[in-house]
Structure formats: C-alpha cells, structure tokens
Amino acid sequence: MSKSILVLNGPNLNLLGTRQPDIYGSKTLVDLQAECVEKGEALGYRVDFRQSNSEGTLVDWIHEARNRYAGVVLNAGAYTHTSIALMDAIASVGVPVIEVHISNIHQREDFRHVSYVSKAAMGMICGFGFYGYSMALDALVNHLRH
Ligand code: CA2
C-alpha cells in the first residue's frame, strides 16, 4: 500500500491568515502545510498538500487518490455544503476520506449544517482549528493500521 496521504483544501482556504482570524485563526495555508507534512512524517507517511478554488480540480484529485494514495484528508470549504460531485467522487474511489473543518460548522449558519461530503466520508472532525488536520491524519493512519 502507498505510504502517501493526500491533504486537499477547497475554495478560499488560500486566504487563511489574511482575514476572519476570529473564525479561522491567524496562521496561513503554508503554516498548515508544514504542520501536516510534519505530522505525516511522525506517522511514517509522506503528505502531499494541495489547495484549489475549483470544484472540478478537487474531483480530479480525489480520483487521482484511487491508485496513488493510502487515504485523503479533505477540507472542501464551501463545496462541503453544495457538492454532489464531490460526494460521488468520494463514494466511488474506494479510498478512505476523512473530512475536516477548521471551524465548528454546527455553531454557524444553518446552510453550513449540511455536508454532502459527510455522506460519503469515513468521518468528520470540526471545530479544532488547524489541529483538526492532525487529528484527521491520526484517525486515518489508525484506520490504515487496523
Ligand atoms: O471551517 C472550515 O474549515 C470551512 O470548511 C471553511 C470554509 C467554509 O465555507 C466552511 O463552511 C467551513 C471557508 C473557507 C474560507 O477560508 C477563509 C479563510 C480566511 C479568510 C477568508 C476565508
């Protein structure tokens, strides 16, 4: 099995650290990448970390995981709440996907309470800031070892 994990980030997450620090903290996407790569190394996995504002690109990257990655950590951003295409991609690849959100989506607007990603993902972590990505990597590797 591949010893690589794909960490995917959706729309507007490239803006981390530039505004809304009350919701998303003050660190940047580059900081988050460094945390994920370091956590992956500690777990014995290489982490490939990507961000796109395009739904189709995220679908393509989930398809790419089928043969090349042991699992995926996915923060689909606002596509979480709208994208049947992402849900179908996750359901069709046969690779474990763990959903993560920086904020607690259930404490926010009603439209954020629905997640199409959750309908296909193995599990979901939200509300713990960047630490949620480390938790998701732990959960994924724990799953892969059992
Ligand atoms: O809490 C999360 O991680 C979200 O996936 C973030 C999405 C939001 O649409 C989801 O409901 C929850 C938005 C990401 C936007 O990130 C920004 C960061 C800094 C400044 C502006 C936007």
Side-chain angles (χ1 to χ4, degrees), residues 9-137:
N9 296 279
N12 298 308
L13 286 160
N14 54 310
L15 299 176
L16 281 171
T18 65
R19 60 191 72 162
Q20 294 187 274
D22 47 321
I23 300 175
Y24 300 116
S26 52
K27 290 189 282 185
T28 67
L29 191 70
V30 171
D31 297 327
L32 179 58
Q33 177 169 11
E35 288 184 21
C36 288
V37 169
E38 186 180 343
K39 179 69 181 181
E41 279 171 5
L43 292 168
Y45 282 78
R46 171 198 156 91
V47 165
D48 284 355
F49 186 95
R50 303 179 190 170
Q51 186 274 333
S52 176
N53 293 322
S54 159
E55 185 178 12
T57 299
L58 292 164
V59 168
D60 287 341
W61 285 344
I62 290 167
H63 291 174
E64 186 186 328
R66 182 173 20 216
N67 299 316
R68 299 191 30 197
Y69 293 92
V72 177
V73 171
L74 172 64
N75 183 350
Y79 293 139
T80 301
H81 318 298
T82 61
S83 180
I84 295 167
L86 279 174
M87 178 184 73
D88 285 349
I90 295 163
S92 63
V93 284
V95 167
V97 176
I98 306 223
E99 176 183 4
V100 63
H101 299 284
I102 295 166
S103 63
N104 183 341
I105 57 175
H106 296 291
Q107 285 179 347
R108 301 181 65 192
E109 304 94 326
D110 285 354
F111 62 82
R112 296 187 204 275
H113 299 177
V114 171
S115 169
Y116 286 94
V117 169
S118 284
K119 294 179 189 300
M122 172 169 287
M124 191 273 273
I125 294 161
C126 75
F128 294 96
F130 282 14
Y131 182 54
Y133 287 71
S134 284
M135 295 168 77
L137 288 165

